[in-house]
Amino acid sequence: MNYWPSEERKMNDYQLSPGRKLKTSDSGLKYNNRKEDMNGQEEGVEFLPTMNAKKVEKRGPKRWVVVTAVLIVFLLVSLLVGLLVWHFKYRRAPVQKVYNGHLVILNLNFIDAYENSSTTEFALLSKKVKQTIKEMYKNNQDIGPYHKETVITAFSEGSVIAYYWSEFIVPAYRAKALDKAMADEQSLIQTVKYKSRNPVLQVNSIVAFPADPSIIQSSRGNSCSFALHAEEGEITSFTTPGFPNSPYPNNAHCTWVLRADVDSIISLTFKTFDVELCSEGSDIIRVYNSLSPVEPHELVNLCGSYPPSYNLTFLSSQNVMLVTLITNAEGRNPGFKAEFFQLPKPKTCSKTLKGESGTFTTPFYPAHYPPDMDCVWNIEVPSTKNVKVHFNVFYILEPGIPVSSCTKDYVEISNTKYCGERSQFVVASNTSKITVRFHSDQSHTDTGFLAKFLSYDSSDPCPGKFTCNTGRCIDKVMRCDGWVDCTDASDERSCNCTKEQFRCNNGWCKPRFWLCDGVNDCGDNSDELQCKCPDKHFKCSNGKCIPETQKCDSKDDCGDGSDEGTCSKVVKSVSCKDYTYKCHNSLCLSKTNPECDGTKDCDDNSDEESCDCGIRSYSKQTRIVGGQDSEEGEWPWQVSLHVKSQGHVCGASLISNKWLVSAAHCFQEESQIRYSDPTLWTAFLGLHDQSDRTNKMVQERSIKRIITNPQFNDFTYDYDIAVLELQSPVKFTATVRPICLPDATHDFPAGKEIWVTGWGATSEGGIGATILQKAAIRVINQTMCNTLLTDQITSRMICVGILTGGIDACQGDSGGPLVSVESNNRLFLAGVVSWGDGCARRNKPGVYTRVSKLRDWIKQHTSL
Ligand code: 4AZ
């Protein structure tokens, strides 16, 4: 009695499962049948005396046979239905396939009319090409039956190259065979050569690549397509629709066909470039070394925004180029302005180079080298000497190609291939000759390389210096000093540690004062192991050990707050302490640096308010090529403070449209000049080049008020901070934007990379820079810094530098920003350039005013 009703429920459940539509009528019938069956069975089962074995034997098997038969029939029917569905719905389901391709016509000469798709010549030739392609497809059983349409999009020289796309509707199960047949250039050509008895067109080469079907819609209703031909000796420019006054359209597909005269190549430069930020499905611009938008001929794909100084120059290998813009439904960006011109096709890029030294580069450096190039440099120095090649800049990067294989673009020396992005390196030969080869394939080009060749004496490759295994020469004092100076660390191998050094477990020698400083200097952490706290204890930043259970318990057990500052779980409403972030509603959080991190941590959202700061206008930054020049707009909060008749004297940082932060010591009276007088000063914002202060990106302001911190001590430089009010507010632009101020509890941990910028001296005692300079340096542990700088460090100071020396702020950088990239790529003002023991000396980091410690003072005077 319980058996069937429960089975009936099961069947009903089954009917409501995802296969419902198919099974309804079928199982509906069964339901009725079963009901009748059920009645019968109910009778039998319910009233059959269980002990009556005979009756069970007699009636049982018959019923089971029926049930089994019904089940089998049901299963078979379901299987059949399933198979039919699979076959018709999935296997035979039609799929749309589109291929982009081009073919070469040998027996025709190019005429100008072929450039314009509205001429009769274009129409006539298109018709012939279409016929040829159709015939070619017809003769191939994997292609012919599925061909729907072919459209000829363009022609170019050589004899005549025809560009086209073909559309197919193919059952899913035949799609792979179609792909294969379309990729088989040889068999396609054979079909036109032999199957067509009297071919009108002699087709020599044909290639086709799968494409995105959306190109069909765009080419059908395409109102955004442009054809441009370079004029001899002239620069032609073009822009995205509406540029610069309105954003380019959404859901658009635009193409620019660029042409040059035969035997010329094209140089294309994006002068301004600002499209939607890069992400999956974002707006994208592609440049092709062909008139066919196919991946194997793509030179570059670009999104985001680039500063004007970024080198966005690309070269073609022939006299055509194609630029496409595909946009999605969102975004309001201005787009681009581009320029192109033609130049003679270079005959060769190979050279023989002779002499003691010289330089050579990839073709058109620093523009992106052209695709499809092979250059050979045969270098020869005087026969008594050996030769080495020093690569100062090396960018030969192809997306997705591992540097271990270098299968696409590469430099080859003595059977070794080099590719990717590499820092400076040297390749030496033990003869007077060396051969450098460069190869670029059809797709994706990069900046290339800048190299120098030098002769050297084999018995003494680095006179008076140490020779790294890479061939680089470094000062002898750098050998075994604990700092890695050779890129392969060969200067720090096989060393005997001195008394001032300790030996790491991995054999390196490191200065003793680096022991237990919280930084893994050895690489295997052995310099930090001996000073560990006992098991189940937490090590505070001040070195104290506390039981792990006291960490994040809302009590300052360390005494410096470090056990409560870095709690992964945000504990809201902890009791407020010096180290806890205070929301506007006076509740406190246990999270480190919660301000403007993109997460609402305070219930009143106050941690995410006032966050229009610390974001650059340009999403892309140039890779540092050689020096340390900044990009325009890279540090839009940087201010240059000029004193009448002296020019640039100090730096400052913009924190709102009318307030600047700088160093108090810039405004102290000196040699009878009253630097505290605001009328003496002028602020330049959006400045990049000191010799170009009239540039339209620059905003010049007088100073209304200078407020120096009353606790500033001009002997110790403690409290070295000042705020300056501008006479009139500035306008925020691509090159003028404020930096974020860190909360009083904001932590900049030791070892963190930070940037310092300024026009200060480029060497100790040297002269100031014309172009804004930048340098990446690291936060130094406070206790260690106090030891290095003989007890001169107060809690209002933060030491930042590179202890090997060589990178530092210097005179003229004072008052300028020290900025840290925090979560969401937002930049915060960690410090103000203050003082140092000289500039860039070993073990003498620069000292900066710790802005977080003076946050309340800034607020008191600026209300920010
Ligand atoms: C200066 O005189 C100065 N190395 C600024 C920073 C440093 C040294 C000197 C740090 O303005």
Side-chain angles (χ1 to χ4, degrees), residues 93 266 581 722 770:
I266 293 174
Y581 180 85
T770 317

Side-chain angles (χ1 to χ4, degrees), residues 665 808-814 833-840 844-847:
H665 82 254
D808 196 8
C810 204
Q811 196 179 14
D813 290 322
S814 277
V833 181
S834 182
W835 63 277
D837 186 349
C839 302
K844 299 290 174 200
V847 185

Side-chain angles (χ1 to χ4, degrees), residues 460 462-467 473-476:
D460 187 11
C462 294
K465 293 192 158 189
F466 172 77
T467 314
C473 305
I474 59 161
D475 267 359
K476 276 209 165 108

Side-chain angles (χ1 to χ4, degrees), residues 41 48 53-67:
Q41 296 235 349
L48 195 69
K54 250 189 185 173
K55 240 182 171 180
V56 172
E57 251 170 48
K58 203 177 160 199
R59 296 188 61 185
K62 233 178 161 183
R63 210 163 284 128
W64 280 112
V65 168
V66 173
V67 170

